[in-house]
Amino acid sequence: MEPQHFAARLVAWQRRHGRHDLPWQASTDPYRVWLSEIMLQQTQVSVVLAYYPRFLQRFPTVQALAEASEDEVLAQWDGLGYYRRARNLHRCAQQICHAHGGVFPRTAQGLQQLAGIGRSTAAAIAAFCFGERAAILDGNVKRVLGRSHALPAPVSAAAELRALWNLAERLLPEHDIQAYTQGLMDLGATVCKPRNPSCLQCPFEGDCRARQSGSGATPLFDAADGSSAQQQARDAPVKPAKTRRTQTWVLLWAENAQADTASIWLERRGATGIWPGLWCLPQFDSREQALRHAAQLGALTEHSPRPITRHALTHLDLQLEPLQVRITPTPGARDAGGNWFTLPAALALGLPAPVRKLLQTAANLAKLQDAQAVAPT
Ligand code: SF4
């Protein structure tokens, strides 16, 4: 397929059938476009739709984001997962404010120098906001290009990526870069899906190499290289099915017996591993370990387990067993990597989603009890 034909068909298709009402499409403000691009990495549009306006309301400008504390940013990001993105977002806002006078670089090359902005994301921002002819190549686009053009079998993953970037650049149109870029994203997300692509709705249906090599009216393409599922099944070595692991975590829910307002002990997690850098109820493998840790915080007055909850991570199922204790704190325990927080203060921190849920339930219950206590009998 000639590059100009590919682009012309894609642009025409996008104008008729593409997505036009996503909130970030209403603006060419690089702050808004950048925010949407980062949120959309590894997160579905339906989820981002709920977070995007809320985040913008709290941080309406890149300056507001740069001036916020990391905890505030993580708290607003809570639930979107992959917290490294939120940290990079914050660092990037600070770089823009401190090194670029609060103004986004206007080229893909310049944008790519900033924290958390890779080549494809930089190209998307530059194309949407500044009209630059820059090629994007996220997972969806790799699939569309790989299938429609059926590149020769690569000798390595790096060679395959190079070939895809070269193809993405060759196909760039002279005009209509915004509609073209949006078209690639839309086609990958809504038509050329990983499984069961809707080829009959695709502008490349007549020429698509993967479709032509498919074996049936509704071919099952499943890979970026456009090969059919049947072909892959023949070629692929037999791999054992991936099994999900389950881990049990005991979460120490320590309440301060001396505080006037209910307060709990939270510790900041390490920079690596699960939920890096977030505040959390201290985590242990057993109740005994948790109780030993509690004894270091102060004198234990009582303890009782709370209901178990479950939380699914990408490759791991967590069984969370909160262990509630009341403690008369030892002075100085505040320095032991954690601190006492009232429930509202805790809820303003960056917390893992299941811990936020636990604390929110406790906060709601406390409110209810307060209301009942003052209600006339
Ligand atoms: S014809 Fe089918 S496989 Fe080919 S690009 Fe279109 S949707 Fe994807």
Side-chain angles (χ1 to χ4, degrees), residues 238-358:
V238 179
K239 283 192 207 148
K242 256 193 188 163
T243 50
R244 290 182 65 80
R245 285 183 301 131
T246 299
Q247 265 182 25
T248 300
W249 287 6
V250 175
L251 297 178
L252 179 67
W253 181 308
E255 293 179 355
N256 187 337
Q258 281 187 326
D260 296 336
T261 313
S263 61
I264 49 161
W265 178 262
L266 296 179
E267 294 181 2
R268 200 193 270 280
R269 293 180 64 84
T272 55
I274 295 169
W275 303 330
L278 298 187
W279 288 90
C280 190
L281 299 169
Q283 168 224 327
F284 302 93
D285 293 337
S286 68
R287 285 189 198 176
E288 292 69 31
Q289 283 179 7
L291 288 173
R292 272 202 297 279
H293 188 74
Q296 290 169 6
L297 301 177
L300 241 68
T301 52
E302 57 186 77
H303 62 87
S304 58
R306 295 177 69 107
I308 292 172
T309 60
R310 288 182 174 75
H311 183 72
L313 299 170
T314 321
H315 299 300
L316 185 65
D317 290 318
L318 292 179
Q319 179 162 285
L320 303 173
E321 294 187 15
L323 176 66
Q324 190 169 17
V325 300
R326 281 181 72 75
I327 287 177
T328 304
T330 307
R334 170 185 304 249
D335 302 325
N339 210 340
W340 294 102
F341 293 94
T342 61
L343 282 171
L347 288 167
L349 299 170
L351 303 168
V355 174
R356 175 170 299 281
K357 216 162 153 188
L358 285 171

Side-chain angles (χ1 to χ4, degrees), residues 144 147-148 187 191-192 197-199 202-205 208 210-211 221:
V144 171
R147 285 172 173 173
S148 56
L187 195 70
V191 174
C192 193
S198 308
C199 297
C202 178
F204 308 124
E205 192 245 336
C208 172
R211 173 127 173 105
F221 304 118

Side-chain angles (χ1 to χ4, degrees), residues 83-97:
Y83 289 90
R84 180 194 291 266
R85 291 181 298 169
R87 277 197 200 89
N88 278 334
L89 199 77
H90 191 217
R91 267 184 55 216
C92 181
Q94 291 176 334
Q95 288 173 335
I96 288 166
C97 290

Side-chain angles (χ1 to χ4, degrees), residues 1 6 140-151 164 167 187-188 191-199 204 207-213 219-229 232:
M1 210 179 326
F6 180 88
N140 281 348
V141 178
K142 281 180 192 167
R143 191 168 58 248
V144 171
L145 299 189
R147 285 172 173 173
S148 56
H149 287 75
L151 296 170
L164 280 167
L167 176 62
L187 195 70
V191 174
C192 193
K193 292 170 284 191
R195 288 180 187 277
N196 295 323
S198 308
C199 297
F204 308 124
D207 305 278
C208 172
R209 304 296 292 276
R211 173 127 173 105
Q212 287 168 355
S213 66
L220 276 174
F221 304 118
D222 199 21
D225 66 4
S227 57
S228 68
Q232 289 172 58

